[in-house]
Amino acid sequence: MAEANNNGAIQLFEDKKIRTAWDAEQEEWYFAIVDVIAVLTESANPQTYWRVLKKRLKDEGNETVTNCNALKMTAADGKKRLTDVANTEQLLRIIQSVPSPKAEPFKAWLARVGRERIEETIDPEQTIDRALETYLKKGYSEEWVHQRLLAIRIRNELTDEWQKRGVEKGREYAILTDEISRAWSGMTTRQYKRLKGLKKENLRDNMTDLELVLTMLAEASATDISKAAKPQGFAENQDVARQGGEVAGIARQALEARTGKPVITSQKADDFRQLITDVVENAAALPERAEKKEP
């Protein structure tokens, strides 16, 4: 199985969390089996239930269980642990072995989850709409969210260009990303996260408007330079990535010279979401203050 991405994604069935991972290469969802067992059986110890069921199915020669894979997923304590997962077809067969009145509703839920992901592949606008809704629920401003979604599109255009130029996903993508980051911000991604006090959180989800804008400028510049220079292989793409980052680095220095303030900040999402909340609350209190001043 190709390495699945989005393996921190959560789907909900009757308000119960099901950990999932989407494999873009195979175009398949993978579901944490123990989470499904917990939903279907309401067992106090779903891990034990699955362990016993898994052994019984293996003893019966059930190939579905034999072919199940394991992925690292976030456990209840926040740590990543290998977790048995199954794709939709495998999961349907496992469900048949679990006596539960929720089996049929769960099958319908599985079909809906699969259909939504296929619809998103056909119509990417649906993905954007869902992402917009998710960010707004987390308390981000609408203006910031639109910038974040634009940053995602620009990032995707860059990785598409890298793929065309022979760059390998994973380690090489990470190195090129660090080249761009270092060229405009003076820091690698890890150093940037450390400045903001982040651990597993997404760096871009914790950037201010200006930080996002300069990241977009750096990556859009790298894409355009690549299209013009047509680099081949990792080494040539590394040079182009650095050039793209330098464009944003020049813009950053010019802005800092004009404002006298650093663009890069230790602020993270909690800080500027709270700032937005404070502004809204203060604005809401203005009419009340005005009324108190009246004789």
Side-chain angles (χ1 to χ4, degrees):
M1 183 182 77
E3 184 179 352
N5 54 31
N6 270 351
N7 56 353
I10 299 290
Q11 302 284 345
L12 294 178
F13 172 76
E14 295 183 352
D15 295 325
K16 301 287 179 64
K17 293 181 179 180
I18 309 289
R19 290 169 295 170
T20 63
W22 172 253
D23 188 324
E25 188 175 321
Q26 300 294 327
E27 293 191 346
E28 284 208 80
W29 276 115
Y30 285 86
F31 302 83
I33 299 172
V34 69
D35 293 352
V36 175
I37 294 294
V39 167
L40 294 178
T41 66
E42 296 185 349
S43 168
N45 196 334
Q47 289 89 351
T48 301
Y49 190 107
W50 168 235
R51 191 160 55 245
V52 172
L53 176 61
K54 183 178 179 180
K55 183 178 184 307
R56 176 170 67 79
L57 292 174
K58 275 189 175 181
D59 291 344
E60 292 172 359
N62 189 308
E63 291 186 6
T64 299
V65 176
T66 305
N67 294 332
C68 283
N69 292 283
L71 284 175
K72 279 194 173 182
M73 289 186 160
T74 305
D77 60 4
K79 294 181 179 178
K80 294 271 188 181
R81 289 195 173 88
L82 277 176
T83 305
D84 285 343
V85 296
N87 62 25
T88 304
E89 182 181 351
Q90 292 167 334
L91 200 56
L92 286 170
R93 293 186 179 182
I94 292 170
I95 290 170
Q96 290 173 352
S97 304
V98 180
S100 170
K102 294 186 177 180
E104 289 308 317
F106 196 89
K107 289 177 185 177
W109 175 84
L110 270 180
R112 188 176 70 252
V113 169
R115 184 182 70 246
E116 286 176 355
R117 189 60 182 81
I118 291 168
E119 286 171 353
E120 287 176 0
T121 304
I122 297 169
D123 181 8
E125 189 174 338
Q126 293 192 27
T127 309
I128 295 170
D129 290 342
R130 288 192 179 107
L132 174 61
E133 184 180 353
T134 299
Y135 277 119
L136 290 174
K137 283 180 179 177
K138 288 182 176 180
Y140 291 95
S141 72
E142 192 165 338
E143 293 77 11
W144 184 94
V145 173
H146 284 300
Q147 283 205 113
R148 181 69 181 94
L149 295 180
L150 178 59
I152 291 171
R153 180 174 69 79
I154 288 172
R155 172 69 181 182
N156 288 340
E157 288 175 358
L158 175 60
T159 55
D160 287 346
E161 179 67 16
W162 282 345
Q163 192 170 12
K164 291 176 189 174
R165 302 296 169 199
V167 180
E168 293 184 6
K169 289 182 181 179
R171 182 174 174 274
E172 289 189 354
Y173 276 27
I175 293 172
L176 295 187
T177 301
D178 274 347
E179 286 288 352
I180 293 173
S181 178
R182 190 185 293 109
W184 85 259
S185 72
M187 294 179 289
T188 64
T189 303
R190 181 175 293 181
Q191 291 168 335
Y192 208 149
K193 290 181 74 171
R194 194 178 300 131
L195 171 70
K196 288 181 176 287
L198 305 174
K199 292 180 180 177
K200 294 182 180 179
E201 302 94 328
N202 185 295
L203 174 59
R204 296 175 196 226
D205 283 353
N206 287 275
M207 285 183 169
T208 63
D209 287 345
L210 275 176
E211 289 173 309
L212 266 181
V213 166
L214 288 172
T215 299
M216 286 190 279
L217 175 59
E219 295 194 332
S221 299
T223 301
D224 279 359
I225 294 170
S226 178
K227 287 177 179 177
K230 297 180 172 54
Q232 291 300 321
F234 175 69
E236 291 182 13
N237 277 280
Q238 195 170 12
D239 184 53
V240 167
R242 194 178 302 115
Q243 291 178 45
E246 286 169 353
V247 171
I250 292 168
R252 173 199 160 201
Q253 291 168 9
L255 180 59
E256 289 178 340
R258 294 292 182 95
T259 64
K261 297 187 301 183
V263 168
I264 296 170
T265 170
S266 60
Q267 276 192 322
K268 50 188 177 184
D270 289 343
D271 299 320
F272 51 80
R273 283 203 301 255
Q274 184 58 47
L275 179 63
I276 292 165
T277 302
D278 291 344
V279 168
V280 171
E281 289 176 350
N282 289 338
L286 285 176
E288 183 182 345
R289 290 173 186 167
E291 287 172 10
K292 287 180 180 179
K293 288 182 180 179
E294 290 178 5

